[in-house]
Amino acid sequence: MTREVVIAGISEAGLDKGVFAEPVSVLDVQAQCATRAVADAGLTMADVDGVLTAGLWGMPGAGTLMPLSVVEHLGIKPRFIDGTNIGGSAFDAHVAHAAMAIERGYCDVAVITYASDQRSASGRNLAGKPPHLNMQFDSPFGLLTPIGSYALAAHRHMHEYGTTSEQLAEIAVAARRWAQLNPAATKRDELSVDDVLDSAMISDPLHKLDACLVTDGGGAVVVTTPEKLGTDARKKAVYVRGYGESVSHWTINSMPDLTTTPAAHSGPAAMRMAGVSHDDFDVVQIYDSFTITVLLTLEALGFCKPGEGGEFVSGGRIAPGGAFPMNTSGGGLSCSHPGMYGMFLLFEAVRQLRGDAGERQLDKATTALVNGTGGGLSSTATCVLSNR
Amino acid sequence: MSQDASTPSRPVPITDPATAPFWKAASQGELSLPRCEDCRRVHYYPRAVCPHCSSESLSWETLSGRGTIYSWTVSRRPAGAGFKPYVPYVVALIDLDEGARMLSNVRTDDVDSVAIGQAVRVDFEDMAEDIALPVFRPA
């Protein structure tokens, strides 16, 4: 008999205009958030015996053996450590890995941490990786990173199915409308389909406003088993009912089919484990590095058929008041995007399932799907979460 | 953008034993890839073990240099300083006639004329000793 697994605590670092409101190092952000997330679960750092982390900071250097730096900074001695880094979906995969460790009794209380100061440190650029190993066949051609890979997928999807730039823009507009209900969101001013189409073309057919924000960000998630929790923490715990992950490539020339993301594997695996189907979800949180990421993921997960994504997201269906509540924080497109956004999908799913989402709270939020995407449409991790 | 305008500040491939023959063949005006002697498939990028069937029995084959565009984009900003002289430039995935797919550039004076399914043929831009970049032009 395996143990039940819950997300029992979350903490997200506050931002002001996209940069850390409290200026501290990426290690201190993680220590602060880990401590606060553990407190949110009614526990202390002394209870933590598992640490999972990923990020892009301090390399080469302190970030090279990232889990070691994080554990050292937290001042604990975990018996379960995981530094899986598969891009922005890593933290959603960490939930799966923590769940497996907890189910088996390998650890009891796991904390997942992340921080990025890419905005305040101006650490983001469009250039590729050093041209060695597999990247010697990528970087010399000047594909913009990461938008170029997504642009290639978008053009292919338009060619195969007639998807339009207007349909992609609807995804950015819906995200903005959700962000307008979220006081913590970075971008809350009005946005129209025309605004998206009139923004600068960066990598055809994707415009500047088809792309996510570039912000700082950090946080922590506590995964444990209900028996470790007090009465109050148990009441607000969110159950991890299913999980799945999949990776197929990094460089875009090795992606088998540009219109099918690995979510076609991770999604069904997670839903099968949870014993749920598409109609069971009250809210979904879909990684939105770019508008096309959302469209491809909805199709890969089976919320609509291949080629129907453009129509699916149109007409306000995914906006506030629509039939398909999605990315209710405003997502990476309008709330925040620190480079690896997968943990923020979990934050918003937990808030909705706890009833803590303020003005954007859905009337019914019992079961949620989270799907992270990382690399260049390279990796996905799907979680099915439920508040009972 | 002519071949002469190749600038050394574009990232120059750092080769390894499994890839050096690809870059060297390109410097001699040939597009060459490993073909698996077991599953008979060509693969890109070159490596020591076939990604299709895990065979280590591979032999280099000179290809026709012809293919079609599977997808494309235009970089409207440079991917680093070395690409500034090229903006705007086309980056595309090319389905080679022999079966492999490779990322490359399509050199054209009219970036808006590029289309999926368009026939292209290989050309080469010298980068360093024994290294040239295979790029494509409309056939």
Side-chain angles (χ1 to χ4, degrees):
Chain A
M1 176 80 187
T2 58
R3 303 195 290 185
E4 287 196 305
V5 174
V6 293
I7 293 177
I10 57 172
S11 174
E12 179 177 353
L15 299 182
D16 181 17
K17 296 185 177 66
V19 302
F20 285 128
E22 205 177 340
V24 291
S25 77
V26 287
L27 280 172
D28 280 327
V29 169
Q30 292 175 89
Q32 289 174 336
C33 290
T35 305
R36 293 167 191 168
V38 167
D40 185 38
L43 301 169
T44 70
M45 285 304 290
D47 297 309
V48 174
D49 60 356
V51 172
L52 306 91
T53 194
L56 297 170
W57 48 267
M59 285 189 271
T64 303
L65 301 181
M66 190 169 285
L68 307 191
S69 286
V70 170
V71 165
E72 171 183 292
H73 212 70
L74 295 176
I76 60 174
K77 277 193 201 167
R79 56 191 172 124
F80 172 55
I81 303 94
D82 179 16
T84 300
N85 192 345
I86 52 174
S89 58
F91 314 99
D92 312 309
H94 289 168
V95 170
H97 303 176
M100 285 186 277
I102 291 161
E103 284 162 357
R104 190 87 169 86
Y106 194 65
C107 78
D108 293 324
V109 179
V111 60
I112 308 170
T113 74
Y114 170 62
S116 161
D117 61 358
Q118 66 167 8
R119 180 64 183 264
S120 46
S122 299
R124 191 90 178 180
N125 67 56
L126 291 164
K129 310 284 181 296
H132 59 190
L133 301 171
N134 51 340
M135 297 301 167
Q136 71 188 275
F137 298 97
D138 189 285
S139 307
F141 299 103
L143 189 66
L144 297 176
T145 301
I147 191 171
S149 296
Y150 292 80
L152 289 166
H155 255 165
R156 187 69 200 180
H157 200 275
M158 290 173 167
H159 173 79
E160 288 189 19
Y161 300 116
T163 304
T164 66
S165 291
E166 286 78 3
Q167 290 171 330
L168 293 178
E170 290 249 17
I171 295 166
V173 169
R176 182 61 56 88
R177 289 189 52 210
W178 282 111
Q180 288 169 340
L181 301 176
N182 178 7
T186 300
K187 286 286 202 181
R188 304 183 71 201
D189 50 326
E190 288 295 320
L191 183 72
S192 69
V193 167
D194 283 344
D195 291 335
V196 178
L197 300 182
D198 290 344
S199 66
M201 190 67 86
I202 307 292
S203 188
D204 304 34
L206 298 181
H207 308 78
K208 182 176 171 56
L209 294 178
D210 284 300
C212 64
L213 307 176
V214 177
T215 68
D216 291 350
V221 174
V222 174
V223 185
T224 184
T225 183
E227 72 203 43
K228 301 301 288 185
L229 298 172
T231 312
D232 289 349
R234 213 178 281 204
K235 273 185 201 151
K236 61 180 187 178
V238 165
Y239 290 80
V240 179
R241 296 300 188 193
Y243 43 81
E245 59 194 297
S246 183
V247 175
S248 63
H249 65 279
W250 189 354
T251 61
I252 197 66
N253 78 263
S254 296
M255 185 169 180
D257 170 358
L258 255 66
T259 62
T260 306
T261 87
H265 303 287
S266 64
M271 286 188 245
R272 205 161 43 238
M273 187 187 295
V276 298
S277 60
H278 298 90
D279 292 339
D280 293 320
F281 297 109
D282 304 303
V283 59
V284 305
Q285 307 294 341
I286 304 282
Y287 203 99
D288 58 345
S289 45
F290 300 94
T291 51
I292 186 66
T293 319
V294 170
L295 192 146
L296 295 178
T297 304
L298 289 170
E299 293 180 3
L301 290 171
F303 285 106
C304 58
K305 294 199 176 85
E308 292 180 353
E311 199 173 322
F312 188 88
V313 300
S314 297
R317 181 189 256 130
I318 61 172
F324 192 81
M326 191 193 87
N327 295 0
T328 49
S329 69
L333 289 164
S334 279
C335 184
S336 70
H337 199 303
M340 293 173 65
Y341 181 72
M343 183 177 285
F344 300 78
L345 302 169
L346 296 168
F347 291 149
E348 183 63 9
V350 168
R351 287 191 189 107
Q352 286 288 352
L353 295 178
R354 281 178 168 182
D356 283 350
E359 200 185 338
R360 64 189 189 280
Q361 178 64 48
L362 300 169
D363 291 339
K364 178 177 183 291
T366 300
T367 306
L369 178 142
V370 164
N371 189 89
T373 301
L377 293 163
S378 310
S379 71
T380 60
T382 313
C383 300
V384 175
L385 307 175
S386 149
N387 59 12
R388 60 178 187 222
Chain B
M1 186 59 57
S2 77
Q3 206 166 308
D4 301 336
S6 295
T7 153
S9 56
R10 276 187 298 171
V12 177
I14 299 165
T15 69
D16 55 65
T19 68
F22 171 85
W23 298 111
K24 183 162 188 183
S27 75
Q28 297 165 348
E30 290 187 338
L31 187 66
S32 184
L33 283 179
R35 185 183 287 280
C36 177
E37 292 175 359
D38 288 314
C39 76
R40 301 304 302 161
R41 293 179 70 180
V42 169
H43 67 262
Y44 185 87
Y45 52 89
R47 53 199 103 176
V49 180
C50 173
H52 302 302
C53 77
S54 305
S55 169
E56 293 186 53
S57 300
L58 305 169
S59 56
W60 286 93
E61 180 173 312
T62 300
L63 308 184
S64 66
R66 296 188 175 275
T68 56
I69 295 176
Y70 172 76
S71 195
W72 61 281
T73 184
V74 181
S75 295
R76 302 278 173 181
R77 298 179 183 188
F83 293 98
K84 275 185 188 164
Y86 296 85
V87 172
Y89 55 92
V90 176
V91 186
L93 288 164
I94 310 296
D95 281 343
L96 301 174
D97 282 3
E98 289 82 1
R101 177 176 299 160
M102 65 179 285
L103 186 78
S104 185
N105 298 118
V106 175
R107 297 292 181 219
T108 168
D109 293 333
D110 181 8
V111 296
D112 296 315
S113 70
V114 172
I116 288 174
Q118 189 175 359
V120 291
R121 61 179 168 74
V122 75
D123 194 5
F124 300 94
E125 296 176 357
D126 290 332
M127 293 197 98
E129 190 180 350
D130 290 339
I131 297 177
L133 201 64
V135 299
F136 289 80
R137 297 180 184 281

PDB file of all heavy atoms in Angstrom, chain A residues 143-159:
ATOM      1  N   LEU A 143      19.556  30.472 -35.300  1.00  0.00           N
ATOM      2  CA  LEU A 143      18.166  30.382 -34.829  1.00  0.00           C
ATOM      3  C   LEU A 143      18.076  31.168 -33.518  1.00  0.00           C
ATOM      4  O   LEU A 143      18.898  30.975 -32.620  1.00  0.00           O
ATOM      5  CB  LEU A 143      17.808  28.914 -34.596  1.00  0.00           C
ATOM      6  CG  LEU A 143      16.338  28.583 -34.317  1.00  0.00           C
ATOM      7  CD1 LEU A 143      15.473  28.863 -35.536  1.00  0.00           C
ATOM      8  CD2 LEU A 143      16.192  27.121 -33.889  1.00  0.00           C
ATOM      9  N   LEU A 144      17.098  32.042 -33.393  1.00  0.00           N
ATOM     10  CA  LEU A 144      16.953  32.791 -32.150  1.00  0.00           C
ATOM     11  C   LEU A 144      16.493  31.847 -31.041  1.00  0.00           C
ATOM     12  O   LEU A 144      15.621  31.000 -31.256  1.00  0.00           O
ATOM     13  CB  LEU A 144      15.954  33.941 -32.334  1.00  0.00           C
ATOM     14  CG  LEU A 144      16.373  34.998 -33.367  1.00  0.00           C
ATOM     15  CD1 LEU A 144      15.275  36.037 -33.554  1.00  0.00           C
ATOM     16  CD2 LEU A 144      17.675  35.664 -32.959  1.00  0.00           C
ATOM     17  N   THR A 145      17.128  31.993 -29.875  1.00  0.00           N
ATOM     18  CA  THR A 145      16.876  31.065 -28.774  1.00  0.00           C
ATOM     19  C   THR A 145      16.130  31.768 -27.651  1.00  0.00           C
ATOM     20  O   THR A 145      16.593  32.805 -27.186  1.00  0.00           O
ATOM     21  CB  THR A 145      18.224  30.538 -28.231  1.00  0.00           C
ATOM     22  OG1 THR A 145      18.906  29.900 -29.313  1.00  0.00           O
ATOM     23  CG2 THR A 145      18.023  29.537 -27.129  1.00  0.00           C
ATOM     24  N   PRO A 146      14.999  31.217 -27.199  1.00  0.00           N
ATOM     25  CA  PRO A 146      14.382  29.969 -27.667  1.00  0.00           C
ATOM     26  C   PRO A 146      13.286  30.173 -28.711  1.00  0.00           C
ATOM     27  O   PRO A 146      12.738  29.212 -29.208  1.00  0.00           O
ATOM     28  CB  PRO A 146      13.747  29.415 -26.376  1.00  0.00           C
ATOM     29  CG  PRO A 146      13.346  30.658 -25.625  1.00  0.00           C
ATOM     30  CD  PRO A 146      14.376  31.709 -25.960  1.00  0.00           C
ATOM     31  N   ILE A 147      12.971  31.410 -29.084  1.00  0.00           N
ATOM     32  CA  ILE A 147      11.763  31.663 -29.872  1.00  0.00           C
ATOM     33  C   ILE A 147      11.792  30.976 -31.250  1.00  0.00           C
ATOM     34  O   ILE A 147      10.751  30.557 -31.772  1.00  0.00           O
ATOM     35  CB  ILE A 147      11.514  33.190 -30.027  1.00  0.00           C
ATOM     36  CG1 ILE A 147      10.123  33.462 -30.611  1.00  0.00           C
ATOM     37  CG2 ILE A 147      12.585  33.857 -30.872  1.00  0.00           C
ATOM     38  CD1 ILE A 147       9.721  34.942 -30.585  1.00  0.00           C
ATOM     39  N   GLY A 148      13.000  30.821 -31.828  1.00  0.00           N
ATOM     40  CA  GLY A 148      13.084  30.280 -33.183  1.00  0.00           C
ATOM     41  C   GLY A 148      12.501  28.882 -33.321  1.00  0.00           C
ATOM     42  O   GLY A 148      11.811  28.563 -34.307  1.00  0.00           O
ATOM     43  N   SER A 149      12.744  28.030 -32.343  1.00  0.00           N
ATOM     44  CA  SER A 149      12.216  26.662 -32.398  1.00  0.00           C
ATOM     45  C   SER A 149      10.690  26.680 -32.415  1.00  0.00           C
ATOM     46  O   SER A 149      10.041  25.921 -33.134  1.00  0.00           O
ATOM     47  CB  SER A 149      12.696  25.855 -31.190  1.00  0.00           C
ATOM     48  OG  SER A 149      14.096  25.722 -31.220  1.00  0.00           O
ATOM     49  N   TYR A 150      10.130  27.573 -31.599  1.00  0.00           N
ATOM     50  CA  TYR A 150       8.667  27.677 -31.504  1.00  0.00           C
ATOM     51  C   TYR A 150       8.087  28.282 -32.772  1.00  0.00           C
ATOM     52  O   TYR A 150       6.981  27.938 -33.200  1.00  0.00           O
ATOM     53  CB  TYR A 150       8.304  28.486 -30.253  1.00  0.00           C
ATOM     54  CG  TYR A 150       8.656  27.734 -28.993  1.00  0.00           C
ATOM     55  CD1 TYR A 150       9.959  27.708 -28.500  1.00  0.00           C
ATOM     56  CD2 TYR A 150       7.702  26.985 -28.325  1.00  0.00           C
ATOM     57  CE1 TYR A 150      10.302  26.981 -27.373  1.00  0.00           C
ATOM     58  CE2 TYR A 150       8.025  26.251 -27.192  1.00  0.00           C
ATOM     59  CZ  TYR A 150       9.327  26.255 -26.719  1.00  0.00           C
ATOM     60  OH  TYR A 150       9.657  25.523 -25.611  1.00  0.00           O
ATOM     61  N   ALA A 151       8.861  29.182 -33.407  1.00  0.00           N
ATOM     62  CA  ALA A 151       8.427  29.782 -34.662  1.00  0.00           C
ATOM     63  C   ALA A 151       8.377  28.722 -35.769  1.00  0.00           C
ATOM     64  O   ALA A 151       7.441  28.693 -36.582  1.00  0.00           O
ATOM     65  CB  ALA A 151       9.380  30.913 -35.049  1.00  0.00           C
ATOM     66  N   LEU A 152       9.376  27.851 -35.801  1.00  0.00           N
ATOM     67  CA  LEU A 152       9.373  26.760 -36.795  1.00  0.00           C
ATOM     68  C   LEU A 152       8.142  25.873 -36.606  1.00  0.00           C
ATOM     69  O   LEU A 152       7.488  25.469 -37.575  1.00  0.00           O
ATOM     70  CB  LEU A 152      10.654  25.926 -36.671  1.00  0.00           C
ATOM     71  CG  LEU A 152      11.951  26.604 -37.138  1.00  0.00           C
ATOM     72  CD1 LEU A 152      13.169  25.814 -36.657  1.00  0.00           C
ATOM     73  CD2 LEU A 152      11.976  26.740 -38.661  1.00  0.00           C
ATOM     74  N   ALA A 153       7.810  25.580 -35.362  1.00  0.00           N
ATOM     75  CA  ALA A 153       6.628  24.757 -35.084  1.00  0.00           C
ATOM     76  C   ALA A 153       5.348  25.492 -35.497  1.00  0.00           C
ATOM     77  O   ALA A 153       4.429  24.896 -36.062  1.00  0.00           O
ATOM     78  CB  ALA A 153       6.581  24.395 -33.604  1.00  0.00           C
ATOM     79  N   ALA A 154       5.310  26.795 -35.234  1.00  0.00           N
ATOM     80  CA  ALA A 154       4.111  27.574 -35.572  1.00  0.00           C
ATOM     81  C   ALA A 154       3.887  27.607 -37.083  1.00  0.00           C
ATOM     82  O   ALA A 154       2.761  27.413 -37.557  1.00  0.00           O
ATOM     83  CB  ALA A 154       4.246  28.996 -35.017  1.00  0.00           C
ATOM     84  N   HIS A 155       4.954  27.832 -37.841  1.00  0.00           N
ATOM     85  CA  HIS A 155       4.803  27.841 -39.303  1.00  0.00           C
ATOM     86  C   HIS A 155       4.319  26.487 -39.811  1.00  0.00           C
ATOM     87  O   HIS A 155       3.481  26.408 -40.716  1.00  0.00           O
ATOM     88  CB  HIS A 155       6.133  28.199 -39.970  1.00  0.00           C
ATOM     89  CG  HIS A 155       6.158  29.593 -40.513  1.00  0.00           C
ATOM     90  ND1 HIS A 155       7.309  30.231 -40.867  1.00  0.00           N
ATOM     91  CD2 HIS A 155       5.145  30.477 -40.764  1.00  0.00           C
ATOM     92  CE1 HIS A 155       7.027  31.460 -41.309  1.00  0.00           C
ATOM     93  NE2 HIS A 155       5.727  31.626 -41.253  1.00  0.00           N
ATOM     94  N   ARG A 156       4.866  25.441 -39.246  1.00  0.00           N
ATOM     95  CA  ARG A 156       4.456  24.109 -39.694  1.00  0.00           C
ATOM     96  C   ARG A 156       2.975  23.864 -39.371  1.00  0.00           C
ATOM     97  O   ARG A 156       2.238  23.293 -40.171  1.00  0.00           O
ATOM     98  CB  ARG A 156       5.343  23.044 -39.032  1.00  0.00           C
ATOM     99  CG  ARG A 156       5.115  21.634 -39.547  1.00  0.00           C
ATOM    100  CD  ARG A 156       5.586  21.475 -40.989  1.00  0.00           C
ATOM    101  NE  ARG A 156       4.957  20.318 -41.618  1.00  0.00           N
ATOM    102  CZ  ARG A 156       5.165  19.928 -42.876  1.00  0.00           C
ATOM    103  NH1 ARG A 156       6.000  20.592 -43.655  1.00  0.00           N
ATOM    104  NH2 ARG A 156       4.539  18.892 -43.363  1.00  0.00           N
ATOM    105  N   HIS A 157       2.558  24.296 -38.178  1.00  0.00           N
ATOM    106  CA  HIS A 157       1.155  24.107 -37.791  1.00  0.00           C
ATOM    107  C   HIS A 157       0.229  24.915 -38.697  1.00  0.00           C
ATOM    108  O   HIS A 157      -0.825  24.429 -39.137  1.00  0.00           O
ATOM    109  CB  HIS A 157       0.949  24.522 -36.329  1.00  0.00           C
ATOM    110  CG  HIS A 157      -0.280  23.936 -35.702  1.00  0.00           C
ATOM    111  ND1 HIS A 157      -1.516  24.518 -35.831  1.00  0.00           N
ATOM    112  CD2 HIS A 157      -0.469  22.801 -34.980  1.00  0.00           C
ATOM    113  CE1 HIS A 157      -2.418  23.777 -35.194  1.00  0.00           C
ATOM    114  NE2 HIS A 157      -1.799  22.727 -34.672  1.00  0.00           N
ATOM    115  N   MET A 158       0.636  26.114 -39.025  1.00  0.00           N
ATOM    116  CA  MET A 158      -0.155  26.945 -39.955  1.00  0.00           C
ATOM    117  C   MET A 158      -0.259  26.267 -41.322  1.00  0.00           C
ATOM    118  O   MET A 158      -1.322  26.259 -41.948  1.00  0.00           O
ATOM    119  CB  MET A 158       0.512  28.320 -40.117  1.00  0.00           C
ATOM    120  CG  MET A 158       0.403  29.183 -38.875  1.00  0.00           C
ATOM    121  SD  MET A 158       1.371  30.706 -39.063  1.00  0.00           S
ATOM    122  CE  MET A 158       0.713  31.646 -37.669  1.00  0.00           C
ATOM    123  N   HIS A 159       0.856  25.674 -41.763  1.00  0.00           N
ATOM    124  CA  HIS A 159       0.879  25.005 -43.071  1.00  0.00           C
ATOM    125  C   HIS A 159      -0.025  23.781 -43.085  1.00  0.00           C
ATOM    126  O   HIS A 159      -0.794  23.569 -44.032  1.00  0.00           O
ATOM    127  CB  HIS A 159       2.318  24.598 -43.397  1.00  0.00           C
ATOM    128  CG  HIS A 159       2.448  23.754 -44.631  1.00  0.00           C
ATOM    129  ND1 HIS A 159       2.406  24.288 -45.907  1.00  0.00           N
ATOM    130  CD2 HIS A 159       2.597  22.411 -44.796  1.00  0.00           C
ATOM    131  CE1 HIS A 159       2.530  23.319 -46.800  1.00  0.00           C
ATOM    132  NE2 HIS A 159       2.650  22.170 -46.156  1.00  0.00           N
TER     133      HIS A 159
END
